[in-house]
Amino acid sequence: MDENAYLEEHGFDEYARWYLGIDDEMGEETKGRYKFPYGDFERVHRCGVLSAKVRAGQQNYADIGNAAAHLHGLLDGRRAGSR
């Protein structure tokens, strides 16, 4: 599902849940306000979490990096439990 269709169906509160960061300088209810996506509005993607973790580290966003690392650990724990 693309971003616009998701927003139309679910609104910004649900949309925001798919991002680890918020840019306070961007207006509320704008797509540009939300940073560091980690899924596709249906599933969390390991590659999205890893990408967010790396980008956060490059841009010195420790809180985002920590959140991404936590999600990464949850995903790896879930993966190990399903073996």
Side-chain angles (χ1 to χ4, degrees), residues 35-65:
K35 308 293 184 190
F36 300 97
Y38 61 89
D40 65 3
F41 305 117
E42 292 180 17
R43 289 181 294 246
V44 174
H45 290 277
R46 189 171 190 274
C47 61
V49 171
L50 293 174
S51 176
K53 186 174 158 184
V54 168
R55 284 186 24 229
Q58 292 170 337
Q59 298 174 18
N60 296 318
Y61 293 121
D63 53 344
I64 301 294

